[in-house]
Amino acid sequence: MNAINSDVAVIKVKIRLKSGLKALSLHFLASVAVVGCASVVVFFVWHPYPYWNLTGGAYLFFVLASVDVVCGPVLTGILYSPKKSKKKLVLDLSVVATIQVAALCYGLYTVAQARPVVIVFEVDRLVAIAAADIDPSELSKAPPKFQRLSWTGPRLLGIREPRDSNEMLRALEASLKGVEPSSRPDWWRELSPDRSELRSRMRSISLLLRERPDGARKLLQEIADANQASLKDLYFLPLTGKKSRDWIVVLNQRAEFLGFAPIDGFLMVPKK
């Protein structure tokens, strides 16, 4: 009798594990589909290449995705049992789904706050600024067309000069606290139509190839080929963000963006 009871118990455990694993698998596939749809918005709308590296959006999303596609299905696998009533199953799975959706929404909100909204030309570099780095109360001080933060990729703009020595001193003090003019809407302004600001500071790709010979030529040649251009006719500017300083923007003679490369663009060689 004990042997029979033992066999029955084993069979029940196997049935329980099999049904739980099936429920877990179905929930996992559904979670992957939802996260996959979210990734299209994250990586093609909010954080287009290469900005997901500069603002940390990729890391945030992968943490979100890992938690979402693991925790929800695991909870479903633990709670699901064919012996439970339909009402009990619906209640349990509804709780799991509610927790998972809430976590997903909060995670996507965090990723959205990390999205780059402006690319600011500041002195000798381009700086990617995320929505979270901008004080919403300061947006009304920006030029009218920049008072609403973009949801479809960053806008390119410049910054004005300080109005007087007092403002320069205050800007320096703010910079020492980590608040650069590039993240202050009251300093933003449109670039000149001919992008003369960028053209005056961009540097020849040839100089970069001399200073960064290891691996740089192949990356830059691919960009040149994609734009049917010669390397000698291309230029670059450093591109920085909160999470990385080791990128460049490749430009043509008109300072139009042609591509991006993960190369340190800060050279010690003086600009000629």
Side-chain angles (χ1 to χ4, degrees):
M1 182 64 69
N2 289 336
I4 294 175
N5 290 338
S6 178
D7 291 341
V8 170
V10 170
I11 291 173
K12 288 182 178 179
V13 170
K14 288 183 177 179
I15 293 173
R16 170 71 178 81
L17 289 175
K18 185 177 180 179
S19 60
L21 183 60
K22 182 178 180 180
L24 184 153
S25 300
L26 292 174
H27 194 161
F28 176 78
L29 292 175
S31 298
V32 169
V34 172
V35 169
C37 293
S39 69
V40 174
V41 176
V42 170
F43 291 110
F44 290 92
V45 182
W46 294 348
H47 297 264
Y49 175 85
Y51 303 116
W52 63 59
N53 291 294
L54 295 164
T55 58
Y59 173 77
L60 289 173
F61 181 76
F62 286 130
V63 171
L64 159 68
S66 299
V67 172
D68 197 70
V69 301
V70 172
C71 292
V74 168
L75 287 174
T76 294
I78 293 172
L79 294 175
Y80 185 86
S81 172
K83 296 178 66 176
K84 289 183 178 180
S85 66
K86 184 177 181 180
K87 181 178 180 180
K88 179 64 173 174
L89 278 176
V90 170
L91 178 61
D92 288 348
L93 297 181
S94 295
V95 171
V96 173
T98 300
I99 294 173
Q100 190 174 13
V101 170
L104 177 64
C105 291
Y106 177 76
L108 287 177
Y109 170 78
T110 303
V111 173
Q113 288 299 104
R115 76 188 189 280
V117 290
V118 291
I119 301 299
V120 182
F121 176 66
E122 187 176 53
V123 185
D124 62 351
R125 70 201 65 185
L126 292 159
V127 184
I129 303 297
D133 296 327
I134 299 170
D135 184 349
S137 64
E138 296 290 314
L139 276 174
S140 61
K141 301 177 182 178
K145 65 169 56 179
F146 300 130
Q147 289 180 5
R148 298 187 65 180
L149 299 180
S150 172
W151 285 91
T152 55
R155 297 167 174 168
L156 178 64
L157 45 81
I159 56 174
R160 61 175 175 78
E161 295 293 329
R163 297 187 178 98
D164 52 44
S165 58
N166 288 332
E167 187 177 51
M168 181 182 293
L169 181 59
R170 291 195 300 271
L172 178 59
E173 292 174 349
S175 295
L176 293 175
K177 297 177 182 178
V179 183
E180 299 293 345
S182 53
S183 63
R184 295 176 56 183
D186 59 322
W187 281 68
W188 296 348
R189 69 172 181 82
E190 287 192 83
L191 291 172
S192 303
D194 62 355
R195 298 191 177 187
S196 58
E197 301 91 341
L198 274 65
R199 292 168 58 197
S200 67
R201 300 308 298 263
M202 64 188 192
R203 308 178 75 177
S204 172
I205 285 291
S206 301
L207 176 61
L208 185 67
L209 290 173
R210 289 200 301 269
E211 297 296 313
R212 304 277 189 266
D214 299 333
R217 179 173 291 276
K218 181 180 178 180
L219 292 172
L220 297 172
Q221 187 63 59
E222 289 175 354
I223 295 173
D225 292 343
N227 291 277
Q228 299 181 340
S230 172
L231 280 177
K232 63 182 178 63
D233 297 325
L234 300 184
Y235 301 83
F236 76 94
L237 280 170
L239 175 63
T240 70
K242 195 170 186 178
K243 299 297 182 180
S244 177
R245 290 168 51 88
D246 299 331
W247 282 80
I248 62 166
V249 176
V250 179
L251 311 101
N252 59 18
Q253 292 177 335
R254 296 185 297 277
E256 297 169 335
F257 288 16
L258 301 184
F260 307 89
I263 301 171
D264 180 4
F266 291 98
L267 307 180
M268 300 303 294
V269 181
K271 188 180 189 306
K272 296 181 179 180

